[in-house]
Structures are given as structure tokens and as C-alpha cells.
């Protein structure tokens, strides 16, 4: 990313390139061809054109630098390093390695909840069906 001083320098450079246009506007104002209001409108339009040119130059340079990094396989903000954590309970000795999350304990809990929900709460009828009371 360019720094603020680099952007300011680039803006000064673009303003120097557009100096003939600024001089033409000033000359038209002093000659009476432009009212002060019209001069301000056209000057603001020229300032906006300069700022847009600076922004395009800066972001194009940034995009080229990013694509260069990507082509070399280096991480960028929109293409970070894939750093996936290990699955829960897969690391031996992990705090998350409990029988509730994997293994026999999980199967027992699942079967218990299935039986409890089906027999006593739903009485064999699934919610949202035609037989739902």
C-alpha cells in the first residue's frame, strides 16, 4: 500500500500535468468569459478529475503488486494462507477430546435423545406433516 506522502507526491505530479488546464480556467475567469460561480464549478470538476486519476494510478499499482505476489504463491489479503485448525477431538490429549463429542458416548447420547423425542414427545408423528395436530 502506498503511504500518504507517496499519494501526495503523485497528486502534485498529476496537478503539474494538468497545470495548463488550470491556467486556461484562470485566464477565462479574468477575461470575463466565466463567472466566479462557473469558474468554481469547472475548477472543482478539474480537481475531481485529478483526484480520480491519482486514485486509479494508485490502485492499479496496488493491484499489480498483489497479482505479482499471488503469481509467486505468496499470501495476500484476498488470498491468505490456508491454516485450518485440527478437527475437534482429533488431537490426542486435547481438552476437547471427550466421549460426548466422539466415540461410544456420542452414539449412546444420540440414541437416547432419539428415543426420548420420538416416544414421549412426538408419539411417532413427525412435526410438519399432514398428521400434525
Amino acid at each position: 500500500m502506498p503511504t500518504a506522502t507517496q499519494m501526495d507526491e503523485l497528486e502534485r505530479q498529476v496537478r503539474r500535468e494538468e497545470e495548463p488546464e488550470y491556467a486556461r480556467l484562470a485566464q477565462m475567469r479574468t477575461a470575463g468569459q466565466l463567472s466566479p460561480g462557473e469558474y468554481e464549478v469547472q475548477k472543482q470538476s478539474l480537481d475531481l478529475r485529478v483526484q480520480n486519476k491519482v486514485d486509479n494510478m494508485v490502485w492499479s499499482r496496488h493491484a499489480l503488486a498483489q497479482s505479482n505476489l499471488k503469481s509467486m504463491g505468496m499470501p495476500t489479503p484476498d488470498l491468505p494462507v490456508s491454516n485450518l485448525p485440527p478437527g475437534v477431538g482429533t488431537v490426542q490429549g486435547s481438552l476437547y477430546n471427550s466421549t460426548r463429542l466422539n466415540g461410544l458416548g456420542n452414539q449412546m447420547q444420540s440414541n437416547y435423545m432419539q428415543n426420548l423425542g420420538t416416544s414421549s414427545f412426538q408419539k411417532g408423528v413427525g412435526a410438519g406433516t399432514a398428521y400434525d395436530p
Side-chain angles (χ1 to χ4, degrees):
M1 286 295 295
T3 64
T5 56
Q6 290 172 332
M7 289 181 71
D8 290 342
E9 178 58 37
L10 189 57
E11 184 175 356
R12 282 191 288 276
Q13 177 186 345
V14 172
R15 281 192 187 275
R16 279 192 298 267
E17 292 171 2
E18 294 290 336
E19 190 59 41
E21 186 66 23
Y22 281 106
R24 186 184 70 79
L25 283 177
Q27 184 182 19
M28 288 175 68
R29 183 184 67 180
T30 55
Q33 294 175 343
L34 290 177
S35 69
E38 290 172 332
Y39 169 77
E40 282 301 317
V41 167
Q42 290 194 14
K43 184 178 178 294
Q44 286 176 358
S45 174
L46 184 57
D47 288 342
L48 183 63
R49 192 170 71 207
V50 166
Q51 189 60 49
N52 286 341
K53 188 174 180 180
V54 170
D55 289 346
N56 286 338
M57 291 169 74
V58 167
W59 286 112
S60 295
R61 181 175 178 260
H62 177 71
L64 285 173
Q66 293 287 322
S67 65
N68 186 32
L69 289 175
K70 285 180 193 176
S71 69
M72 293 187 299
M74 307 221 18
T76 59
D78 60 338
L79 187 67
V81 174
S82 179
N83 188 15
L84 300 174
V88 174
T90 58
V91 178
Q92 273 306 78
S94 168
L95 294 173
Y96 301 106
N97 194 5
S98 89
T99 55
R100 286 184 348 104
L101 298 175
N102 58 13
L104 183 61
N106 190 22
Q107 290 173 358
M108 289 172 50
Q109 184 179 6
S110 173
N111 291 339
Y112 174 73
M113 294 303 286
Q114 236 175 4
N115 293 339
L116 178 69
T118 303
S119 64
S120 59
F121 293 125
Q122 295 178 358
K123 296 184 178 61
V125 178
T129 64
Y131 304 107
D132 194 17

